[in-house]
Amino acid sequence: MSPGPDHKLFLGARLKRMRRDRGLTQTAMAADLGVSPSYLNHIERNQRPVSAQLLLRLAATYDVDLRRLGEEGPAGEAALSEVFSDPLFQGLAVPRHELLHLVDEAPGAAEGLLRLYRAFSDQRDRARAAVIDGEPSAGGPSPADWVRDHIQSRGNHFPELDALGEALHASLDPTGTGDGVAVLARNRLATRHNLAVRVMPAEVMVEWTRRFDPHRRRLLLSETLSHASRAFAIAYQLALAEHDAELNALADAARPPDDTSRALLKVSLTNTLAAAILMPYAPFQRMAEATGYDIARLERRFGVSFEQVAHRLTTLSRPTARGIPFFLIRIDQAGNISKRYAAGAFPFARFGGGCPRWRLHDAFRTPGRLVTQIIETPDGGRWFTLARTVERQGYDGPGENHGLAVGLGCELRDASRLACARGLDLTAPEVTLIGPACRLCHRHPCAERAAPPVDRALTVDDWSKSVSPWPFAAA
């Protein structure tokens, strides 16, 4: 939420952290900003608020994105609150001001605590699975969790890959028309890399949607793939053919904990480069801004799918040409989350599922149509969200294929820039209050609660009945 005119902004700890990250003394930063060292010292100790003029100087001097200066880091208050709601800490009752102090004054320690809990949580989950499967469990995060956390630690932005993608797109399409980039990429694979692309029957591909045959130099694609997915597969193969060394270097620089995590990270990085080839940063960001982030027009202009556009929108964090900081989540009809990315804040739980009041599932009732909603999270943040069903690629069963829904969202203050929000009352909107996963949520009463909060005692009696199936006592 945007601060009001009388709101005082205290960012002392974050300003201090930014200064130390740049290796500056208070005297050096004060000189850069045109203020006295004593004034900067007061600000860092939260004895003086940060003025609008100083914020503008920070942005101009150090290329700081003011939208992200006030955001929590990976180990923010919400993430730590989620950690301390675990039954492991029952009875500890860490107050909010202590969490805020830890986040602001010791961000490294907060991040270390979060990583330790993640490792513990993952190991506990594996141990539980081992009881069922009869297999020994291994410690540490799963490869999928490790890769997701690494990508999020980069803000889902890899400028090196954006630059490579822009250059490769320009060499394929020097006129900049955007027509037939996938065809041009296919021709380049054939002429420069002696690699043919073949679309094969589903009966031949069986479980595979894409498969590279290095001996016959063929990229085999399933006929079940849409044209957009075929184009993406071709761009993916071209990315590997021309920039395998750079992709390997980026994967190695991340220092993955095991070979599986490294392999999965390289796939994610190659996907990022493929998206940058089909949707090069500068023209994509310019058109997004010019059209009010009209996803349908971006689909047609770049020959890609709804999900590919939505995912690309979460990566627009170039300092000189930033887009709206979107987040993305993809779910199936059972509520399983198979994808989540964010350019900025992350309004959903890391260790649990989503809130049933967040109507992502409504998209399944109206396949192919946008469903919009304005939500408010427990910290008071307000978000504009939209959701739509997408086809599950490689699906070859009977009936309609609307097995997945993609949700996209941004802070409410940015919604006025969206074409799909035009005509809505954004100043006094109808807002749905949501929480994290039910076992972490303290909102009461809630008729849609599926489980009691783990750190609250149930108040069940035979004299009354609440609208909530799990009434509980206050802290």
Side-chain angles (χ1 to χ4, degrees), residues 307 330-338 360-361 363-365 367-368 388-393 395 398-406:
E307 184 175 349
R330 188 180 70 184
I331 63 171
D332 62 19
Q333 295 194 54
N336 299 305
I337 298 173
S338 55
L360 294 180
H361 275 88
F364 292 113
R365 301 177 187 174
R388 206 202 80 173
T389 55
V390 296
E391 293 186 350
R392 190 189 298 270
Q393 293 304 303
Y395 179 85
E400 294 185 354
N401 175 16
H402 295 290
L404 299 170
V406 170

Side-chain angles (χ1 to χ4, degrees), residues 208-270:
W208 308 107
T209 58
R210 169 179 56 83
R211 192 167 180 84
F212 176 56
D213 180 354
H215 303 293
R216 297 184 180 180
R217 303 294 298 168
R218 297 190 306 172
L219 174 63
L220 307 178
L221 304 179
S222 171
E223 64 181 352
T224 61
L225 291 177
S226 67
H227 288 293
S229 292
R230 293 179 193 177
F232 197 90
I234 292 170
Y236 182 98
Q237 195 65 45
L238 185 60
L240 283 175
E242 305 221 347
H243 293 298
D244 190 57
E246 293 92 333
L247 291 165
N248 281 323
L250 270 177
D252 290 335
R255 302 179 66 183
D258 51 61
D259 291 342
T260 303
S261 297
R262 185 196 182 281
L264 192 58
L265 175 60
K266 186 180 177 184
V267 169
S268 295
L269 295 173
T270 311

